[in-house]
Amino acid sequence: MPLKTPDCYTFAALQPPKHDKSRPDRTRRAAFLLPLVQIAIGLIGAGLLAVLAGGSSAAAFLAGAAVVAVGFAAFGWRTAGRSPVAPAGRMFVRLLVGTMLKWGVICAGLALAMASAGLPAEFVLAGALVAFLAYMLSLPWLLR
């Protein structure tokens, strides 16, 4: 009677996993949809402020939200926009470079919006805060 090998030691079990193209990657989809959600929230807030407080405050609010959305888009491009199959060291470097790029874009964009463009600082920061809150509240929903 021949010995039967367990199924976990078959040749098929030792092969790398096949990526199913019919199901998109949730993290990649969330990384590209999150800036769109942040811009949409910024547009809604700017529309409300245009009615209530005037045009310059609405432009400042939208600029703050747009800067944060561009920062998150840069992070998503640097991390989730690349091949998901890579060594752990390369993935960690992508994460670090993406984080530095995101915060560099956000810091420079907010400073330019408040200093060079002359937009009201409180509305720029309010737009950035709302975009960050949109990130916190919408990311679990986007990852489903």
Side-chain angles (χ1 to χ4, degrees):
M1 181 154 120
L3 287 171
K4 181 173 165 74
T5 58
D7 289 335
C8 61
Y9 295 115
T10 63
F11 183 72
L14 297 175
Q15 297 303 311
K18 291 185 173 52
H19 296 287
D20 186 17
K21 296 294 182 187
S22 64
R23 277 188 54 196
D25 186 19
R26 294 183 315 208
T27 56
R28 183 174 287 193
R29 182 189 66 186
F32 293 132
L33 285 179
L34 179 62
L36 295 177
V37 170
Q38 290 172 325
I39 289 290
I41 296 293
L43 283 171
I44 291 169
L48 290 173
L49 275 175
V51 171
L52 299 175
S56 68
S57 60
F61 188 88
L62 184 59
V67 163
V68 172
V70 168
F72 275 92
F75 177 78
W77 164 75
R78 189 66 196 140
T79 56
R82 304 294 176 115
S83 171
V85 180
R90 185 175 297 160
M91 295 298 279
F92 185 65
V93 168
R94 285 181 191 172
L95 181 67
L96 288 178
V97 170
T99 302
M100 290 188 313
L101 184 64
K102 173 180 77 170
W103 285 109
V105 166
I106 289 173
C107 290
L110 290 178
L112 285 173
M114 290 186 284
S116 296
L119 297 173
E122 59 271 5
F123 289 107
V124 173
L125 294 176
L129 177 67
V130 167
F132 274 115
L133 289 175
Y135 160 69
M136 296 294 290
L137 296 175
S138 68
L139 192 61
W141 177 73
L142 289 173
L143 286 175
R144 309 187 270 142

